[in-house]
Structures are given as structure tokens and as C-alpha cells.
Amino acid sequence: MSVLARDVAQEFGNRFGRLPKVSRAPGRVNLIGEHTDYNDGFVMPAALEFATLGAAAPRPDRRLVVYSMIMDETREFDLDAPSARGRQEWSDYVFGVAVMLERSGRRLTGADLVIWTDVPLGSGLSSSAALEVSVAHALLTASGLRFEPVEVAKICQQAENDFVGMRCGIMDQYVSACGVAGHALLIDCRSLESRNVPIASNLRLLIANSHVRHQHAGGEYNARREACEEGVRILRPYLGPIKALRDVAARALERHRRVLPELVYRRCRHIVTENERVLEAERALKAGDFAACGKAMNESQVSMRDDFEITCPEIDLLASLAQAQAGVYGSRMTGGGFGGCTVTLIEAGAVQGVTRALIDGYRVGAGRDADVFVCSPSNGAGIDPLEGD
Ligand code: GLA
């Protein structure tokens, strides 16, 4: 039994006077493969133990009534009179998912919902995907419909693209729906197939939250995506029928470097080399070659900093502090960028010392506090059983 699920169910009981089922969907940390997902490439995230819980029970009508324990706000939505676009607030993630589930041909019943999360918000750990996937799971369960993980991930991505207005890729929703405890997932974002990559028992993933949040991150994200698309458009006449940067090899990019504007070239170089690094990191982790995995992570950090330009001084500081410590294999920013968190691959025995070094070094170098914690790769979305279930 999860204490948290019981608390959320209790809140639901107080508000709506009946017993809900509690759906749970995790946030994620990405070990390597940043901005490659919307280029049809490879990523290697793991689901976190931090998650969003959605307690829900059906209503006899077609209304959705949702209370957020985090915002302490209630919002309502009529499934028979859906709006096409969001109101630019948290409920967009909830109702966007409902709209897209219905558009996919799934007929939902009305439902009462209570949502809660312990995924740190706005920290690059995918609180939005956790919300979307938990709501999808809760609404499908209330409607007596099946939760098909990859299909639901696609629907949640569509909600974020078309209802919320953020042109994200599939990585976050995919791993929130499909994560496997003790493993990272190597996801092929073109075929949408994945392979489990075990995290060896002597390894830990250390996450450090810089607490930097950039206001313009949404616009910068979409701008990176446009630069990648521009690269494909310019390269196509030279390389044949390529669909995405996934189809461009590093050598081919170098050969045609001069046809690209310098900035577009560097954006493309990040994606093309990052795809190679993801596959190398998968190989290395499976072979027990942790140093090679760490090297790929460190190179990814440089590529994000210099070519894709999505890090910031605070993140660069956290990564280099970690890279200098004994017992650390590699360290890099994780997630969309412009702040958020780093992920560090580390020997279990080094956790305490590195945590101290990061907290102290960040206080001295950035003048602020970092949160540092170990992440245990967890399962993707499911029902969080209540006592007696
Ligand atoms: C955000 C997006 C993902 C992915 C990452 C960067 O988390 O939601 O789809 O593009 O940024 O790797």
C-alpha cells in the first residue's frame, strides 16, 4: 500500500464522497539523448520514483471535475462541448488529454478527479508528462477502457503539441507510460520500440536540481526544433529522401557542412553526434563498461553547451563539479534545458561524498542551494493499490 495513494484517496473521499481508484505515472530522468526524440532519433531515459497520482471515479454525466491538491484549485470541463485550445494553465494538461483520448475514438465517461504530485515542477524532470499520463490512466480506468502504454504516450504527446502548444517529442510520455524498474529504456523514437537497459546494482543515478528556471524556455525549445527542421530541408537535395536528422550520418553532415548556416550546422551536429552517443552508452552499460558510458555523457554535456546551446552557467558548474569527483563516471544536463537538473552516473559508494561536493561547490560557485538526490529507476504508469485492494 502506498501512503501517498491513501492520502490522495482520502482527499477524494472528503470532496466527492466515494472511493476512487488511484492511477500513478512517474516523472523521468534522461541519461543521454537530448532533443533527439523529435528528430526520430534515440534516447535513454528512466522513470523516477517521483510521480503524479490521479484519483478518479466515474460520474453519471459527461463532465470532468478536477481538483489539484498542488494548486488548491478546481476546474470543470464538458466532454460534449470541448474547447479546442487550453487556457494557458495547469488544467490544459488534464483536459488536453481528455480531448485527444476522445479524438482517438475512445469514448470517456465523465469523472471526478483529484491530482497530486511529488515530481519537482519546472525542473526538467517531466512533471507535465507525469500529469498527462496519470490523467490518461485515470480517465481510461474510470471509463473501463484499456491503457495501451505506447498508444497513450502518443495521445499525451499530441495533447501537449496541439492543446498546450509545446512541440515536445515522445520521450517523456513514453517512459512515463512504459518505464521498467531497475532499468533505463533505449527508445527508438522512429519505430517507437524500446529495449530495457539494466542499471547495474553497483551504480547510482544522482540528480542535482539547479533550481534555475528560464522563462523563455518554451520559445527556445521550439526554436531548436525549427533549426533541426531547417537543416533537414537544406540537406535533402544533397542527401536524397531524408525525413529527419536521424537519417544523417556524421560523415555526411561534415561533407555538406558548407551548405548550412553556421548555427544550423552546429544544431545538426549536436543531434547527429548525440544519436551516436546514445547507442554507445547503451552498448557500454550492457557490457559493464561504465567508464565508456560516462565518457559519452560528458561529451553530451559539451555538445549541449557548445553546439545546441541549451545549458546555462549553473548547470555547467554542477556538471563539472561532479565530473571532478572520484567515483563519478559521467555527468550532464538532463531534459529540455535552460536550467533544471544534471544527472550523474556514479559508483554507489561515492554518493555521500559527491552529494556534499555538489552542494558545497554550488553554494560557493553559484551562491545558491542545489537539491541532490539518488533516483531509483521505477515502473511506468499503473494503479497504485490502496489498502485492501
Ligand atoms: C523535453 C521534451 C522531450 C525532449 C526533451 C529534450 O523534455 O518534452 O520530448 O525533447 O525535452 O531531450
Side-chain angles (χ1 to χ4, degrees):
M1 175 199 57
S2 139
V3 176
L4 299 173
R6 197 190 51 203
D7 289 350
V8 178
Q10 210 155 50
E11 178 72 36
F12 186 97
N14 293 342
R15 285 181 179 268
F16 298 113
R18 58 202 198 282
L19 196 66
K21 285 205 183 312
V22 182
S23 296
R24 172 188 181 284
R28 64 99 189 92
V29 61
N30 188 20
L31 270 73
I32 191 162
E34 229 60 82
H35 289 252
T36 42
D37 59 353
Y38 57 77
N39 288 292
D40 279 5
F42 303 102
V43 293
M44 198 164 70
L48 297 174
E49 66 269 47
F50 294 131
T52 298
L53 300 183
R59 293 168 57 100
D61 56 16
R62 290 255 298 157
R63 296 191 74 72
L64 299 177
V65 179
V66 49
Y67 171 70
S68 162
M69 292 173 71
I70 304 294
M71 306 302 288
D72 189 22
E73 286 174 352
T74 301
R75 295 285 184 268
E76 296 202 19
F77 192 80
D78 185 351
L79 288 168
D80 289 325
S83 43
R85 230 166 244 101
R87 312 174 205 185
Q88 309 287 318
E89 58 149 35
W90 64 270
S91 68
D92 295 352
Y93 297 96
V94 178
F95 300 138
V97 166
V99 166
M100 296 305 165
L101 281 170
E102 287 242 314
R103 270 198 212 160
S104 75
R106 294 160 174 85
R107 182 158 172 95
L108 300 176
T109 173
D112 294 320
L113 265 153
V114 170
I115 55 181
W116 176 89
T117 194
D118 61 358
V119 183
L121 302 182
S123 299
L125 299 176
S126 289
S127 52
S128 9
L131 176 55
E132 291 154 7
V133 176
S134 67
V135 165
H137 194 285
L139 293 180
L140 289 169
T141 305
S143 305
L145 297 170
R146 269 192 30 197
F147 177 83
E148 300 142 292
V150 176
E151 281 313 303
V152 168
K154 289 200 300 203
I155 289 167
C156 290
Q157 181 200 13
Q158 203 189 344
E160 193 152 341
N161 287 175
D162 298 344
F163 200 85
V164 177
M166 158 83 173
R167 298 184 67 210
C168 66
I170 187 80
M171 165 168 73
D172 305 346
Q173 293 81 3
Y174 191 112
V175 70
S176 183
C178 306
V180 178
H183 295 74
L185 295 187
L186 186 295
I187 307 170
D188 178 335
C189 298
R190 172 168 279 171
S191 71
L192 296 185
E193 279 159 7
S194 63
R195 303 189 281 269
N196 296 347
V197 185
I199 304 297
S201 59
N202 61 311
L203 294 180
R204 295 290 180 275
L205 302 176
L206 199 66
I207 297 176
N209 190 342
S210 70
H211 291 294
V212 174
R213 291 173 72 165
H214 278 227
Q215 298 300 324
H216 58 279
E220 290 286 349
Y221 182 95
N222 289 349
R224 294 303 180 281
R225 189 164 179 163
E226 278 152 26
C228 295
E229 289 164 357
E230 189 183 344
V232 172
R233 260 196 318 274
I234 298 174
L235 288 170
R236 195 173 287 131
Y238 300 90
L239 298 180
I242 52 169
K243 280 177 60 190
L245 288 178
R246 155 74 172 270
D247 303 312
V248 179
R251 257 174 313 152
L253 179 66
E254 289 309 317
R255 256 203 323 275
H256 299 286
R257 174 178 186 159
R258 270 178 296 279
V259 302
L260 296 167
E262 164 66 14
L263 190 70
V264 174
Y265 164 70
R266 283 194 288 118
R267 301 296 189 246
C268 293
R269 182 167 65 180
H270 166 71
I271 300 299
V272 165
T273 57
E274 184 82 344
N275 276 329
E276 291 178 346
R277 285 187 290 268
V278 177
L279 295 177
E280 163 63 3
E282 179 199 20
R283 181 207 63 76
L285 274 185
K286 285 182 169 167
D289 188 354
F290 308 132
C293 180
K295 180 165 173 282
M297 291 173 74
N298 292 343
E299 287 168 2
S300 167
Q301 164 65 20
V302 171
S303 180
M304 291 189 294
R305 187 192 63 202
D306 298 345
D307 276 356
F308 221 59
E309 295 178 283
I310 50 172
T311 68
C312 61
E314 293 86 348
I315 285 287
D316 297 341
L317 172 64
L318 282 172
S320 58
L321 284 169
Q323 287 168 5
Q325 299 301 310
V328 167
Y329 292 110
S331 186
R332 60 183 287 282
M333 188 191 75
T334 186
F338 312 102
C341 296
T342 57
V343 57
T344 303
L345 186 70
I346 186 176
E347 275 294 330
V351 165
Q352 263 198 342
V354 176
T355 301
R356 210 35 304 138
L358 285 178
I359 291 176
D360 292 350
Y362 195 63
R363 193 168 296 142
V364 172
R368 54 203 297 182
D369 290 323
D371 278 335
V372 181
F373 47 90
V374 170
C375 137
S376 316
S378 304
N379 282 322
I383 290 285
D384 207 333
L386 300 172
E387 208 168 7
D389 266 16

